[in-house]
Every structure is written in C-alpha cells, then in structure tokens.
C-alpha cells in the first residue's frame, strides 16, 4: 500500500520524507490556498523533494481550459499527476489525456458508478472521499470497500486512492479494505507516531535500563 501526504506545505513534506514511508503527495486548490509564495515554484519544489507521484489539480473550468491546463501541469515534472474533478463534461478530456499517456487522478469521487466510468478511461488514480461522506452522516468507508470489489471483479488497473481521511480509523479501515493508496494529512501521521502506549513503553524501557546503571549494552 502506498502512503501519500495530503498537503502543499513544503516544510511538512521535508520533515516526513526521511522516514522513508512517503510514496507521494496530493495537493488541491484548498491546500495551496493555505500556503504563501509563488504557486508554481512551491509545486516544483515539492516535485523535486518527492520520489513519487505528486497530484496537482486543475483550476480551469471549461473542458478546453482543463485540457490545456492539464498539459501545462503535466509538463512541470516527470512525477506529476494531473488531478481533475469528476464531471460529465471532463470525461472526453480525461479520455484524450489518458490516450496521450498523461497520468490522471480523478478527484471528488462519491459513488461506485462514478468510479466505474473513470476506471474505464484508464486513469492512474481514482480518489474516493471518505470524510466528506461522514460529514453528512453516511459511512464513507463503504465506498472504498465497494471500489475494491469493483476492481477485483473487472480487473481495472486504476489505483484506488482513499482521500479525505480525517482520522486513524479511516486509515486503518482503508488498509483493511485494500485501498491501493491512502493520502493522509501530516497531522494524522504525527498521531500514528505519537501513540501513547508506544511513548509510554519507550519511557519504561529507558527507565528500567537506567536502573541497571550501565552505560553500554555490551561491556
Ligand atoms: O486530497 C483531497 C482530500 O483529501 C480532501 O480532504 O478533509 O478536505 O475532505 P478533506
């Protein structure tokens, strides 16, 4: 399973890359709006920092505008994936781009049938949103489970990228459901490392060891 960081913050990405567990980054207009500075140079820096796919979302609205912007985004770096929101008018654009071997991540997927349509077009990633379903009191995890079954039934190649992950349970359930990728906010990764029982355990090992009064493990 691949783990992506869901952020456009260079400092946070720099902080987590050395752990060796980050396989890519996803950004979106809302995440970019939190950053200050030149957007193109932020995105180029992120692409250089990460040894894996970096999703960058189009902000144009017309199909022709989306097509042109997708080409521009994909030319930024080799590891760029163009993120395009799901919409009927963009399907011909997505179809054309995939035929041109441009890697696409279709975002804002909220149903199995939406996912089926874009799987048929051969996109690299499909991004079902979990948390936003939960926001309206529907269990978002069901969608991930359904997509995994669809992929197994028909042998689609598109990777299921679990997005809008808000808590450790979402992440754990995505792992168990068999999502190909989970994109997670850095704050969540921080929680995984700061598990209270792991921290307590480290402290206990340390204090017990100190009681022995030894400095080295082997004399
Ligand atoms: O990558 C997009 C997605 O993860 C957004 O999450 O928390 O804004 O629903 P959220």
């Amino acid at each position: 399973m691949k783990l992506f960081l869901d952020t456009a913050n260079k400092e946070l990405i720099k902080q987590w890359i050395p752990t060796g567990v980050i396989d890519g980054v996803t950004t979106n207009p809302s995440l970019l709006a939190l950053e200050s500075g030149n957007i193109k140079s932020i995105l180029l820096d992120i692409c250089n920092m990460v040894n894996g796919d970096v999703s960058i979302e189009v902000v144009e609205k017309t199909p022709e505008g989306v097509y042109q912007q997708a080409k521009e985004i994909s030319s930024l770096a080799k590891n760029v994936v163009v993120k395009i929101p799901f919409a009927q008018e963009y399907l011909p654009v997505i179809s054309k781009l995939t035929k041109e071997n441009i890697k696409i991540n279709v975002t804002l997927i909220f149903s199995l049938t939406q996912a089926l349509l874009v799987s048929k077009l051969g996109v690299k990633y499909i991004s079902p949103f979990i948390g936003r379903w939960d926001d309206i009191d529907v269990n978002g995890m069901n969608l991930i489970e359904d997509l995994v079954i669809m992929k197994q039934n028909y042998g689609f190649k598109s990777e299921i990228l679990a997005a809008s992950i808000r808590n450790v349970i979402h992440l754990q359930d995505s792992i168990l459901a068999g999502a190909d990728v989970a994109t997670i906010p850095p704050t969540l990764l921080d929680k995984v490392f700061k598990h209270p029982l792991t921290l307590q355990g480290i402290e206990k090992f340390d204090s017990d060891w100190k009681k022995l009064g030894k400095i080295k493990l082997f004399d």
Side-chain angles (χ1 to χ4, degrees), residues 150-213:
M150 178 188 73
K151 192 173 161 168
Q152 283 163 359
N153 284 351
Y154 299 102
F156 289 127
K157 297 277 179 286
S158 304
E159 294 179 42
I160 301 162
L161 194 168
S164 187
I165 288 183
R166 306 270 180 77
N167 53 51
V168 177
I169 304 294
H170 283 159
L171 178 58
Q172 287 176 180
D173 287 346
S174 300
I175 298 166
L176 293 177
D180 299 292
V181 192
T183 189
I184 52 175
T187 44
L188 183 54
L189 198 52
D190 207 39
K191 266 192 194 162
V192 173
F193 280 97
K194 291 190 179 137
H195 192 291
L197 295 179
T198 304
L199 296 180
Q200 265 176 42
I202 288 173
E203 228 175 86
K204 173 94 170 76
F205 286 148
D206 201 40
S207 68
D208 287 346
W209 180 250
K210 279 181 184 144
K211 278 182 211 155
L212 281 178

Side-chain angles (χ1 to χ4, degrees), residues 6 26-28 31 83 107 129 131-132 135 163-166 183:
D6 201 21
T26 50
T27 66
N28 63 36
L31 292 170
K83 214 179 193 188
T107 189
F129 277 35
R132 293 195 195 182
D135 288 343
S164 187
I165 288 183
R166 306 270 180 77
T183 189

